[in-house]
Amino acid sequence: MPTLGELGLHQPALFALAVLVLNATPGVDLLYTVSRTLAGGWRQGLAAALGVGAGCVVHALLAAFGLAALLAVSAWAFTVLKWAGAAYLVWLGLGMLRQAARPAPAVAATEAPMVARTGMQVFCQGLFTNVLNPKVALFFLAFLPQFIVPQAPHKTLSFLLLGTWFVLQGTLFLVAVVWLTQRLHRAVGGSARLGRWLNAAGGLLFLGLALRLSRAEVHA
């Protein structure tokens, strides 16, 4: 069996630690997973986590086969994806604000804060939320090479291995977040008012993230 060095990888412990820190940093993926869990229970939270993981698979493949490099050098390609991602976040944010504005009886603590109602819809929303963020693609392109040996004979394979590792560790982290969120939610007890406040806060945060993404530059 080949060693990590023979596969072109080095400093695996540091890589795992860095991935953990990145996963734990509050962002769109973490917020989406937590909000779905609070709104729709562990099933929708799990669907969100798997959707985000699927989005990371797409980015890992893009990085491995060089397409992410296009975003790093092409202002046009980056701009198109940037505005598509910002528009999608605005759509999600407005959906959550509409739910928050509904009368209290219509917004139960377990009601979904966005249009999605089924696990597949939640999965797809998580997928698109991640895929339509060009900074994730640039992150993969900038982060993964730091843990690949410069003399690696098959750099594409090395990218794929690290991408797989990142996706698996990140997805397991989000699954743990779903479990912990559900436990805490049951412990404190939910309410319609809490659901409305979560929708409002989440909607405003998504709109803020959309604004931040729209201002991103190619070199960001």
Side-chain angles (χ1 to χ4, degrees):
M1 174 177 284
T3 64
L4 291 177
E6 293 171 339
L7 293 174
L9 311 182
H10 71 113
Q11 296 183 307
L14 181 60
F15 178 79
L17 179 61
V19 171
L20 178 61
V21 172
L22 290 167
N23 290 150
T25 302
V28 176
D29 295 339
L30 186 60
L31 170 65
Y32 182 73
T33 303
V34 171
S35 66
R36 296 313 306 153
T37 306
L38 292 174
W42 68 269
R43 288 183 177 84
Q44 289 201 8
L46 184 59
L50 294 177
V52 169
C56 289
V57 169
V58 174
H59 283 297
L61 292 174
L62 292 177
F65 293 103
L67 294 182
L70 177 64
L71 295 176
V73 298
S74 172
W76 181 84
F78 183 91
T79 299
V80 170
L81 189 58
K82 175 185 72 174
W83 283 108
Y88 188 71
L89 288 176
V90 168
W91 179 76
L92 291 178
L94 291 178
M96 296 179 76
L97 290 177
R98 283 196 299 269
Q99 289 290 336
R102 290 184 180 181
V107 185
T110 57
E111 184 179 353
M114 287 166 277
V115 176
R117 290 294 183 272
T118 68
M120 181 55 66
Q121 288 175 320
V122 174
F123 175 89
C124 291
Q125 283 190 348
L127 169 66
F128 289 127
T129 299
N130 187 274
V131 168
L132 292 176
N133 188 345
K135 284 197 168 185
V136 178
L138 295 178
F139 161 77
F140 268 85
L141 190 64
F143 180 71
L144 297 188
Q146 300 180 44
F147 299 92
I148 296 177
V149 178
Q151 298 78 22
H154 305 290
K155 288 186 172 60
T156 297
L157 176 60
S158 301
F159 260 105
L160 289 174
L161 289 173
L162 285 180
T164 300
W165 185 340
F166 185 96
V167 170
L168 291 176
Q169 183 174 331
T171 302
L172 289 175
F173 177 84
L174 289 180
V175 169
V177 168
V178 170
W179 177 83
L180 181 60
T181 301
Q182 182 72 356
R183 296 270 297 188
L184 293 175
H185 186 55
R186 286 179 177 176
V188 300
S191 68
R193 179 173 296 182
L194 174 61
R196 295 181 67 185
W197 277 106
L198 288 172
N199 289 339
L204 291 174
L205 185 53
F206 272 126
L207 292 178
L209 290 170
L211 179 62
R212 180 180 179 184
L213 178 59
S214 69
R215 295 179 174 177
E217 301 293 339
V218 175
H219 55 75

